[in-house]
């Protein structure tokens, strides 16, 4: 039995959930998302809540996964998701040109990142990037891809990092006097 999968999901005002045998369609003020429903699982709406039902105990892990995906899609179409990044380093900066994010990260050339469909980014002060969208997975993957272009250096603390991320500061060579 799945403890997470059994929990009901409250439906926020202004959202609609369409139930089909193999997927859920979630529609809200910010857009529309679909959630796959594996075989052996079902969904039902009762008293303003959405429940993911499981036919066999063997599908309990998939029940928890499906419930989490449905909950995240309901949050996405009502409030959306945001990841904030900051760029630290002399000469490091970002600029948005249309659907392309142009980053100067200490390489000999600017790095261009094409934003996927459904994901948007805003740049403030040349060093702060805010990635937003309704799909939690797409927002997180885009932010992780941007961070991977120049991971934070543990010695000089330069690079692209999440806002609030704590880095371990390593000492340099200790043998030099």
């Amino acid at each position: 039995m799945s403890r997470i999968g059994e929990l009901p999901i409250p439906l926020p005002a202004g959202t609609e959930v369409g139930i089909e045998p193999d997927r859920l369609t979630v529609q809200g003020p910010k857009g529309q998302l679909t959630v796959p429903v594996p075989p052996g699982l079902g969904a039902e709406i009762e008293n303003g809540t959405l429940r993911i039902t499981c036919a066999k105990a063997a599908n309990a892990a998939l029940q928890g996964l499906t419930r989490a995906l449905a909950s995240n899609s309901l949050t996405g179409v009502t409030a959306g998701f945001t990841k904030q990044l900051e760029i630290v380093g002399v000469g490091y900066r970002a600029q948005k040109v249309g659907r392309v994010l142009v980053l100067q990260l200490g390489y000999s050339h600017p790095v261009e990142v094409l934003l996927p469909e459904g994901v948007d980014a805003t740049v403030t002060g040349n060093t702060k990037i805010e990635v937003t969208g309704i799909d939690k997975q797409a927002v997180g993957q885009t932010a992780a891809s941007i961070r991977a272009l120049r991971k934070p250096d543990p010695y000089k603390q330069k690079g692209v990092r999440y806002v609030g991320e704590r880095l371990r500061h390593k000492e340099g060579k200790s043998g030099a006097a």
Side-chain angles (χ1 to χ4, degrees):
M1 179 167 102
S2 172
R3 285 184 259 174
I4 298 295
E6 292 291 325
L7 296 175
I9 306 167
L11 296 177
T15 59
E16 296 178 13
V17 178
I19 299 174
E20 297 176 28
D22 61 342
R23 71 182 146 207
L24 296 173
T25 305
V26 180
Q27 195 165 10
K30 291 194 176 250
Q32 178 178 343
L33 291 172
T34 59
V35 178
V37 177
L41 297 180
E44 56 188 33
I45 297 175
E46 55 185 41
N47 299 332
T49 61
L50 176 66
R51 280 194 176 278
I52 306 298
T53 58
C54 181
K56 299 181 213 167
N59 291 338
L62 291 177
Q63 181 185 14
L65 171 70
T66 306
R67 188 242 179 240
L69 292 174
S71 177
N72 287 340
S73 64
L74 279 167
T75 303
V77 297
T78 55
F81 292 101
T82 302
K83 289 279 188 180
Q84 295 177 337
L85 300 163
E86 62 183 348
I87 302 172
V88 177
V90 176
Y92 290 15
R93 60 187 176 274
Q95 179 182 3
K96 186 177 175 201
V97 181
R99 302 260 329 136
V100 177
L101 204 58
V102 181
L103 303 166
Q104 296 282 344
L105 298 174
Y107 298 118
S108 61
H109 58 283
V111 179
E112 296 182 352
V113 177
L114 179 64
L115 296 172
E117 208 52 47
V119 176
D120 194 28
T122 56
V123 178
T124 54
N126 290 334
T127 59
K128 304 271 188 206
I129 303 170
E130 188 173 276
V131 182
T132 58
I134 63 172
D135 188 2
K136 185 175 186 176
Q137 191 274 335
V139 169
Q141 183 62 50
T142 303
S145 298
I146 293 170
R147 182 182 182 271
L149 295 173
R150 178 69 90 177
K151 289 186 180 177
D153 179 29
Y155 297 101
K156 295 184 180 180
Q157 304 288 305
K158 299 183 339 180
V160 181
R161 65 178 83 164
Y162 295 110
V163 170
E165 180 180 5
R166 296 190 57 184
L167 299 177
R168 191 173 130 199
H169 183 71
K170 292 185 176 181
E171 293 294 323
K173 290 185 179 180
S174 59

